[in-house]
Amino acid sequence: MKVQVCIIGGGPSGLLLSQLLHLQGIDTIVLEKYSRDHVLARIRAGVLEHGFAKLMREAQCGERMDREGEIHHGIHISHDGVMDRIDLSKYSGGSSVIVYGQTELTRDLYEARDKLGGKVIHNAADVTPCDVKSDRPYVTYRDGDKVIRVDCEYVIGADGFHGVSRKSIPKDVLREYERVYPFGWLGVLSRTKPVSAELIYAKHERGFALCSLRSQVLSRYYIQVPLSDTPEGWSDDAFWGELKHRLPGEVAAKLITGPSIEKSIAPLRSFVAEPMRYGRLLLAGDAAHIVPPTGARGLNSAASDIYYLYHAMVDHYKKGDDAGLDGYSNRALARVWKAQRFSWWMTMLLHRFPDNIPYDNKLQDTDLAYLFSSEAALRSFAENYVGLPF
Ligand code: FAD
Ligand code: DHB
């Protein structure tokens, strides 16, 4: 089989890029390790930047997002028994974020790929990028006993943090920067009315909590837990009880609880791999960088990679201009590191760190006090939360 661009990974990054390139007449294939049902069962991001939404519309996938997604103009941070609101629109010069689940967005992308007859191979086993330093790279995968070879001009590694693409770059080329946090987030999805119309990020001495939502009848809540905890070890009652503890009294009193329809623990990690290009292999999204979810930057950072890659590929195929491809790694990393900084900062600001000394706790308090007393700090927060320009 021969295509122009072989994309490894059928998550949001891979699907969005393949859809955008297809619309420009560039031939792609997506190789996904798991079944479509498996990919769609993952509950992850909920907050989208407008830059991401714009790309979804350009990919002709924005209709349901625009209909069902909620525009949010502010968020709350609760701390020390008070709830402060950050007016995102006011401090970002009129911008906002869209609350629309990654699951729904991925479903929309799959449907769009189906409609155009896009090639998406599921359950592709042992996917292996080969000869990516040459002008004739190829990718192999296994379908049952058959090994299939896909010849291509470029390989896109959009296979997430645990994928094969990044690992195929030689160790003496790849530089990895990592910080692992000593806790995870236990997330619960429940078919209940959200406790608040806007997100609440809660700093509490028992640990961080987040009240988020997917719609007016679907809530998403998180609490910080030790890494040794398991979802099975947390009954629904124990989860709701702990969440209530960490919320201001008036919010806890309003919380509507119900059976969890999904419960999982995500470890928190900051990670960047450089460079994002090795020969004809280009990394995108979680394959190259991970953030702790606190600032809602992960999927949005993937979106900027896809934006740069999409334009670079179009320039290459339509104009014979390789400047975008040559500059891809540096350009993408410049924005990636800013999202890393914000996510790290917000994580440090709001979580309880088991090894904190009293000095660290004082700095957390001071950082929060500064945020809510300085218009410059609020502007900086809002600019980062709604997403820096691509
Ligand atoms: P992935 O979604 O990981 O997709 C990669 C795909 O590649 C997967 O389908 C995988 O099955 C496939 N794959 C893996 N290995 C192989 C292989 N060997 N061969 C072929 N295919 C392979 N981000 C935000 O912007 N906002 C938020 O509000 C937010 N909240 C989050 C909350 C939680 C709890 C978590 C865990 C994450 C959150 N994120 C958020 C981050 C966001 O979910 C990720 O950044 C996003 O999924 C990255 O998309 P991706 O396509 O690059 O990678
Ligand atoms: C969600 C996740 C986040 O990490 C975040 O900062 C905001 C919302 C969510 O899953 O809804």
Side-chain angles (χ1 to χ4, degrees):
M1 190 186 326
K2 195 164 173 25
V3 293
Q4 286 169 306
V5 182
C6 179
I7 299 173
I8 305 178
S13 300
L15 293 170
L16 179 57
L17 183 64
S18 92
Q19 176 73 3
L20 288 164
L21 294 181
H22 190 137
L23 290 169
Q24 295 292 330
I26 299 166
D27 189 23
T28 69
I29 189 169
V30 174
L31 304 178
E32 165 57 48
K33 182 175 179 177
Y34 297 105
S35 69
R36 184 180 292 208
D37 285 349
H38 179 97
V39 174
L40 289 175
R42 296 186 193 125
I43 310 293
R44 286 192 176 171
V47 175
L48 307 180
E49 295 171 5
H50 281 283
F52 193 112
K54 219 168 134 197
L55 265 187
M56 286 290 284
R57 288 182 205 114
E58 191 163 347
Q60 300 178 2
C61 300
E63 204 187 301
R64 198 160 66 97
M65 174 192 73
D66 283 332
R67 208 174 48 243
E68 296 178 13
E70 282 186 20
I71 304 281
H72 282 217
H73 296 281
I75 60 145
H76 300 271
I77 296 186
S78 86
H79 59 101
D80 309 304
V82 296
M83 261 239 295
D84 280 316
R85 178 172 187 268
I86 300 182
D87 189 330
L88 295 172
S89 297
K90 176 176 168 190
Y91 293 116
S92 69
S95 197
S96 53
V97 291
I98 303 175
V99 171
Y100 188 64
Q102 179 169 334
T103 314
E104 299 313 314
L105 177 147
T106 310
R107 198 187 303 281
D108 297 343
L109 286 165
Y110 272 132
E111 279 173 14
R113 297 311 295 122
D114 289 347
K115 221 157 115 189
L116 289 186
K119 291 186 278 279
V120 182
I121 309 290
H122 281 281
N123 302 307
D126 302 337
V127 174
T128 311
C130 305
D131 285 359
V132 295
K133 270 301 246 185
S134 79
D135 288 346
R136 293 164 189 265
Y138 62 96
V139 179
T140 59
Y141 70 95
R142 198 168 48 72
D143 175 8
D145 292 338
K146 264 193 315 194
V147 173
I148 296 164
R149 172 175 167 142
V150 181
D151 288 289
C152 56
E153 289 155 11
Y154 289 94
V155 180
I156 306 298
D159 47 352
F161 182 67
H162 298 289
V164 288
S165 303
R166 184 184 70 252
K167 290 173 193 146
S168 74
I169 300 178
K171 284 208 165 20
D172 59 340
V173 173
L174 200 68
R175 295 180 301 278
E176 296 184 337
Y177 302 86
E178 182 173 53
R179 171 184 285 271
V180 176
Y181 301 85
F183 41 73
W185 279 16
L186 169 64
V188 158
L189 188 69
S190 72
R191 221 173 285 292
T192 50
K193 184 175 159 47
V195 69
S196 164
E198 293 180 335
L199 272 67
I200 303 174
Y201 290 85
K203 175 178 182 288
H204 192 273
E205 61 190 22
R206 295 173 71 102
F208 171 79
L210 169 61
C211 303
S212 182
L213 62 151
R214 293 291 177 272
S215 71
Q216 282 315 306
V217 291
L218 203 54
S219 299
R220 181 69 165 158
Y221 297 108
Y222 297 97
I223 55 170
Q224 172 188 348
V225 293
L227 279 172
S228 50
D229 282 12
T230 60
E232 300 74 39
W234 278 89
S235 67
D236 286 357
D237 282 350
F239 176 84
W240 295 121
E242 188 57 36
L243 177 64
K244 280 184 184 174
H245 263 304
R246 299 183 189 188
L247 298 176
E250 70 278 13
V251 178
K254 280 194 307 190
L255 182 73
I256 299 172
T257 63
S260 61
I261 49 179
E262 195 266 357
K263 197 187 280 163
S264 52
I265 294 183
L268 267 66
R269 183 193 301 269
S270 298
F271 174 87
V272 182
E274 297 185 352
M276 287 174 63
R277 176 178 180 177
Y278 177 66
R280 286 182 174 246
L281 169 67
L282 298 111
L283 302 179
D286 278 18
H289 43 80
I290 297 275
V291 284
T294 325
R297 297 297 81 211
L299 182 57
N300 291 306
S301 296
S304 58
D305 295 351
I306 298 307
Y307 175 87
Y308 298 135
L309 260 183
Y310 164 49
H311 287 282
M313 288 273 162
V314 170
D315 286 351
H316 169 78
Y317 282 109
K318 300 253 156 132
K319 301 185 206 153
D321 176 356
D322 279 354
L325 284 175
D326 292 342
Y328 168 67
S329 182
N330 286 343
R331 201 171 172 208
L333 283 166
R335 192 175 188 275
V336 159
W337 273 109
K338 290 178 191 142
Q340 289 280 326
R341 187 204 67 81
F342 182 67
S343 306
W344 161 83
W345 171 77
M346 222 176 140
T347 303
M348 301 302 284
L349 180 72
L350 297 175
H351 288 77
R352 189 180 168 277
F353 285 77
D355 294 336
N356 260 12
I357 53 173
Y359 180 88
D360 301 326
N361 297 333
K362 277 283 186 192
L363 278 189
Q364 271 185 326
D365 294 344
T366 306
D367 219 343
L368 268 172
Y370 172 62
L371 174 64
F372 288 109
S373 65
S374 156
E375 182 156 336
L378 286 165
R379 282 190 191 286
S380 170
F381 182 99
E383 168 183 62
N384 279 277
Y385 193 90
V386 302
L388 296 168
F390 288 172

